Amino acid sequence: MRFSHLFRKKTVQDILNQVAKNEADGHQALGKHLTARDLTAFGIAAIIGAGIFSTIGKASADGGPGVIFLFIFTAIACSFAAFAYAEFASMVPVSGSAYTYSYVAFGEIIAWIIGWALIMEYAIGNITVAISWSDYFTGLLESGGIHLPQWVQMDYLTASNGFKDATALMQNGKVFENLPDSLKAAYTAWTTSPTIGSFHLVADLPALFIIIIITYLVYRGMKESRNASNLMVVIKLCIILLVIAVGVFYVDTANWHPFAPNGVGGILKGVSAVFFAYIGFDAISTTAEECKDPQRDLPRGMMWAIIICTILYVVIALVLTGMVNYADLNVGDPLAFVFDKLNLKWMSGIIAVSAVVAMASVLLVFQMGQPRIWMSMSRDGLLPKRFSKVHPKYHTPSYATIVTGFVVAIPALFLNLTMVTDLCSIGTLFAFVLVCAGVLVLQNKPDIPRGKFKTPYVNSKYVYPLLLLIGISIAFTVNKESTLNFLTNEKQINAPADIVKSLSKEDSKKVYDYLSSLKKEVNTPDVEKLLSEFSLNETTYKQVVDNMPIDNSLKYESGFSLFKHKIPMWIFLIALLFFAVWSWRQNLSLIPLLGLICCLYMMAELSIWNWIYFTCWLLIGLTIYFGFSHKNSKLNQK
């Protein structure tokens, strides 16, 4: 195997010729039904979902009203990436999204890596949305008096981990009634579930139910999927506009002060959750072959979807943080919560129904994207030929759609929501990084056919180094303390719950006796509650923890165990220096460069464990590539 064979490329002209051939003989041709309006609706369907109905609450609690800047920042970052996607979609108007674009820009091995990452992105994204849909659906049933057992509405990992955490806290004095609601539900699910030997039968059955319905709809055809998506988009936009129209009369501007109570750090704390709300726009590019005029309509659909959704997110965030204090919004269903608090129960019911519809529309777009990635990889010989089979009647990738249903449905029964959200985000960001880099690689190549859309060119040779110097100066002036702590790997104090959960019975008694000696009156045996009372003041908390009679490894995170969490950020910082050299030497276009940097930064904000899991996924993919895909590639046969 020659090393150069790993980077063999497809030409744009060959791709376009193959598409034209498919359309001429009707073989493996998809039906063309989509216009710019449909693509915009698909984008809104994918973006307006968990962000509006769930994650906006936690993000608002962390960032206050200033969370609007996080939505704007994320939208700008996605817009930079959308420019790159739009340019590629106009240049190569076929299914495959970033996979096909990377095949043209970088070669086969990188295309495989990004295709494999996209498979994970869409599969994990679908799992995430299915779990969220299940939560809203079961909540809606409960409000109507229908109560499902906890073990049929929760995934296995959440129940197992929640049971362990609840047990640890109760052993250290916390009573069951004082546990967080999520831990109580997990403990109940685990203890009441049927068992086979030592195995507990805990599975999220509503998530399985919605995946089966959506997979069937996607299998039946693009026209049916489009009509269902457009209907759901109309419903949820009407509900959101109703929320804004009603909520604006209950806004108290005093709740907007302070506007950013936790500073920039608090605003950026929700970057992963907020970004996850935006990732759906790239699914639009997988429908290129089903567009009537992809070179014109794909760029328009992407941009309009991002603009409309950002305006809605910003307005909703301002209304919510104006109706109640931002600190009260750390709940799973913030829209329903604020209207409940204002005794507008009828609005809560409407919001619950619209949330179920909104989640279903997100799942529809995601479930539509993944089979088209598999189909494109199969057409190139990198996956078995059956994945490129197109149904003769419905004109959809039928086999790939069915496999996608199984790949999403089975893990949705068992996987944890937080884990799959972050995994989906890192896979998507990786795709965005490579698409932006692809535009930069191809920008100076004259032999590449260009489409109708081209990213506006601004030379980054001088602009980017200037921006980099401004960023460094801000880091060492405005954020001097946190910057120095990062560079010197200064030890960090653990949160009360983390300390208490790590204590043995003997250590727990020592800590309880010590904390009791600091207070005049103690009315609880709950160690975590006692320690949390001191955490309200940062200086006092540090003094108390410093003097606790337990090992320092239980009190602090330091050394390599702390540094490993900073590895992604160090990768980002080193990359910034590389980009400075690259932009200076190649006169790179500023917009895709900023898109690359913004997306890489958001990757760096994800935990090291997400990078490790993602790397394991890529290693599995490379094993398949060298075992099957390399020798079966159409380019290898040529």
Side-chain angles (χ1 to χ4, degrees), residues 435-447:
V435 171
C436 292
V439 169
L440 296 172
V441 167
L442 296 181
Q443 74 171 28
N444 295 323
K445 293 191 176 181
D447 56 336

Side-chain angles (χ1 to χ4, degrees), residues 328-400:
D328 296 334
L329 288 171
N330 191 10
V331 292
D333 51 350
L335 266 67
F337 168 78
V338 294
F339 285 103
D340 262 347
K341 193 165 186 179
L342 295 171
N343 293 317
L344 297 173
K345 304 290 185 183
W346 61 276
M347 279 294 294
S348 299
I350 293 174
I351 290 167
V353 174
S354 64
V356 171
V357 174
M359 293 295 184
S361 70
V362 176
L363 185 59
L364 173 64
V365 178
F366 274 43
Q367 197 75 344
M368 208 168 51
Q370 186 176 352
R372 285 151 180 80
I373 301 291
W374 291 23
M375 180 187 71
S376 297
M377 297 175 75
S378 175
R379 284 176 174 176
D380 296 329
L382 303 186
L383 286 176
K385 192 174 181 181
R386 295 188 69 181
F387 283 94
S388 60
K389 180 182 177 183
V390 175
H391 196 284
K393 179 180 177 182
Y394 302 133
H395 300 289
T396 57
S398 51
Y399 181 78

Side-chain angles (χ1 to χ4, degrees), residues 468-514:
L468 187 60
L469 290 174
I470 292 172
I472 292 172
S473 64
I474 291 173
F476 281 96
T477 53
V478 179
N479 294 317
K480 183 178 179 180
E481 184 179 353
S482 58
T483 301
L484 292 176
N485 287 343
F486 176 86
L487 294 174
T488 59
N489 203 40
E490 181 69 24
K491 66 182 181 181
Q492 289 185 359
I493 195 165
N494 287 325
D498 293 329
I499 294 175
V500 172
K501 284 188 284 189
S502 65
L503 298 178
S504 65
K505 285 188 176 180
E506 184 180 341
D507 285 335
S508 179
K509 186 176 186 309
K510 289 180 184 176
V511 170
Y512 180 78
D513 291 341
Y514 167 70

Side-chain angles (χ1 to χ4, degrees), residues 7-55:
F7 295 92
R8 54 199 178 196
K9 299 177 182 177
K10 294 176 70 175
T11 66
V12 174
Q13 198 57 53
D14 285 344
I15 294 172
L16 297 177
N17 289 342
Q18 184 59 49
V19 172
K21 182 176 180 297
N22 289 343
E23 291 176 356
D25 60 17
H27 178 63
Q28 293 185 341
L30 302 175
K32 291 184 176 291
H33 304 290
L34 304 179
T35 64
R37 185 179 63 181
D38 297 321
L39 293 169
T40 303
F42 275 137
I44 295 172
I47 296 172
I48 300 292
I52 284 280
F53 293 99
S54 181
T55 54

